[in-house]
Amino acid sequence: MNIYVANINFRAQEEQLKELFQQYGEVASVKIVTDRETGRSRGFCFIEMPNDSEGKEAIDKLNGVAFLDRNLVVNEARPPKGR
C-alpha cells in the first residue's frame, strides 16, 4: 500500500518517519518529496507498506497525530491526475 503523508515538519528525516510507521508493520520505503531547485522538503512524503492491512492500521492510527510539532495528515495515496 502506498501512503501519502502531508503536513510534515520540514526538519523531519526519512528514518524518523520510517520508525514511526514501523510501529504498525513493515515499511518498504519512505520518500520525502523535495523541491528540485532548493532541495528543501516540500512538507509531504510517500510511504510504501507491503501489507495492506498494516498500512490501513497505520493510516487509522497516525492521521491527525502530532509529530515534530505538526499534526500529520495520512491517507492512502491516489494515482496522479492527468495533466
Side-chain angles (χ1 to χ4, degrees), residues 6-75:
N7 202 34
I8 296 172
N9 189 305
F10 295 118
R11 296 184 321 265
Q13 301 294 313
E14 290 178 353
E15 189 60 36
Q16 293 171 305
L17 290 160
K18 183 175 184 177
E19 289 175 12
L20 179 67
F21 276 78
Q22 278 180 330
Q23 297 175 62
Y24 303 99
E26 180 185 353
V27 174
S29 68
V30 177
K31 177 62 180 145
I32 294 176
V33 178
T34 57
D35 183 271
R36 283 183 246 226
E37 293 179 21
T38 65
R40 182 178 168 189
S41 168
R42 293 186 59 202
F44 66 96
C45 77
F46 292 96
I47 296 179
E48 185 71 35
M49 294 183 76
N51 183 305
D52 283 356
S53 64
E54 292 173 353
K56 288 178 184 173
E57 181 181 8
I59 291 169
D60 290 341
K61 302 284 187 187
L62 294 174
N63 188 36
V65 168
F67 178 71
L68 298 178
D69 302 322
R70 310 258 327 243
N71 291 340
L72 299 177
V73 176
V74 185
N75 296 300

